[in-house]
Amino acid sequence: MRYLYTLLIIVFVAVVAIFAIQNLRLVTLNFLTLYVTLPLALLIVGIYLLGLISGGALVALLKRWIRGASR
């Protein structure tokens, strides 16, 4: 089983590396008066992490509200 997990990790890292290499094109992100130019892969990873953080915060907030309502 250990070899299967190792193989899955290697495949995942390879897929992420291929994705990053194929998406090195620079994109410009505009927000109000701010302009940021960065690689597309980095932008996608950043957006994913922001969604992960905000989604986790939302779930924690909903759990707190449900606990408070059930008291």
Side-chain angles (χ1 to χ4, degrees):
M1 203 61 159
R2 179 177 61 191
Y3 296 114
L4 177 64
Y5 289 138
T6 304
L7 179 66
L8 288 174
I9 290 170
I10 290 170
V11 168
F12 178 75
V13 168
V15 168
V16 169
I18 291 169
F19 172 79
I21 290 169
Q22 289 183 342
N23 290 292
L24 289 177
R25 183 176 347 154
L26 293 177
V27 293
T28 302
L29 180 66
N30 303 329
F31 181 70
L32 299 175
T33 60
L34 302 173
Y35 296 94
V36 178
T37 302
L38 62 161
L40 179 61
L42 187 61
L43 177 64
I44 292 173
V45 169
I47 290 171
Y48 174 78
L49 291 176
L50 285 173
L52 187 70
I53 292 168
S54 63
L58 179 63
V59 168
L61 182 64
L62 289 174
K63 283 183 180 180
R64 179 179 288 172
W65 285 350
I66 290 171
R67 249 186 282 130
S70 65
R71 286 184 185 177

